[in-house]
Amino acid sequence: MIKELVKDEAILSQVCTPATTDDAQVADDLVETLTSMDGAACLAANQIGATTCIIAYLDDDDQPHVMYNPRLLQALGAFKAVEGCLSLEADSKVTRFDRIKVGYSELVDGELKPRKKDFNGWTAQIIQHGHRPLQGQSWSSLMGKKPNAAARPFAARAQAQPRPARRLGSEQGSGHKGGISRQGSKRG
């Protein structure tokens, strides 16, 4: 079922609870909501009102993927970006990483199966974007803070190279106001 996006800071700033197989409907709703929005690239479950650790994102071929209980395990290649959020109007300056390793679960035949996978480029960026709200780190709570609190544990391992800032989402022609979107991406 397509859900209305949550804009309530009290919900968006809650730390999400671990997802279980009972959350399959939340994952389905997340994918339906994401794929119904022109230009959207990722959503976290709390953006549709469910405070459980699930994100959905679209790959380079616009195919949806769901991650239950995603964890950033490694991050390399730091860069600065300016991103918006579908649930909030303002943009935020963040630190992202070009290459990440993520541990997560995938629902297969009614069971959560553990997975680890490496991601890079655009897909790495949108997974990081969707992961932050699960930890209760909403956009407005991080505005003006540096570097991105979600990235701090990885900063020591990151091999940062100076890059121009990237801007995502609120560009003209992005298909929606605010939020992270492929059409609004500028690679440095």
Side-chain angles (χ1 to χ4, degrees):
M1 173 182 295
I2 297 172
K3 301 284 188 169
E4 186 174 329
L5 290 184
V6 171
K7 310 240 184 228
D8 184 349
E9 184 68 22
I11 294 171
L12 296 173
S13 62
Q14 289 181 24
V15 175
C16 292
T17 59
T20 68
T21 56
D22 294 335
D23 296 311
Q25 185 60 53
V26 172
D28 289 345
D29 292 347
L30 201 55
V31 168
E32 281 190 56
T33 303
L34 175 63
T35 57
S36 74
M37 302 168 65
D38 284 340
C42 67
L43 282 176
N46 60 354
Q47 290 180 279
I48 61 167
T51 54
T52 188
C53 287
I54 303 174
I55 65 169
Y57 69 93
L58 299 177
D59 65 17
D60 288 332
D61 297 321
D62 287 330
Q63 294 302 307
H65 298 272
V66 174
M67 292 181 163
Y68 287 71
N69 306 311
R71 300 166 322 283
L72 295 176
L73 303 175
Q74 186 177 26
L76 300 168
F79 64 89
K80 299 291 184 192
V82 176
E83 297 176 356
C85 179
L86 294 168
S87 292
L88 300 169
E89 294 296 321
D91 290 344
S92 180
K93 292 179 183 177
V94 295
T95 299
R96 294 287 185 232
F97 297 90
D98 276 333
R99 297 173 308 281
I100 60 173
K101 180 182 291 289
V102 180
Y104 62 98
S105 294
E106 184 176 42
L107 189 62
V108 178
D109 297 327
E111 293 183 29
L112 289 178
K113 302 288 185 181
R115 306 279 191 242
K116 283 185 187 174
K117 190 170 178 181
D118 294 327
F119 298 92
N120 59 52
W122 172 251
T123 304
Q125 186 173 354
I126 60 174
I127 289 170
Q128 291 168 81
H129 180 91
H131 181 262
R132 182 167 70 180
L134 301 178
Q135 301 168 341
Q137 297 172 332
S138 68
W139 287 106
S140 61
S141 70
L142 291 175
M143 290 216 174
K145 295 183 181 180
K146 52 182 181 173
N148 175 351
R152 259 191 214 123
F154 309 107
R157 291 191 300 248
Q159 302 189 0
Q161 297 176 3
R163 296 171 188 242
R166 298 179 190 184
R167 181 164 181 84
L168 298 169
S170 60
E171 301 284 323
Q172 193 171 6
S174 68
H176 61 275
K177 184 173 183 166
I180 189 167
S181 71
R182 187 172 296 109
Q183 292 88 347
S185 177
K186 287 187 181 175
R187 297 195 62 88

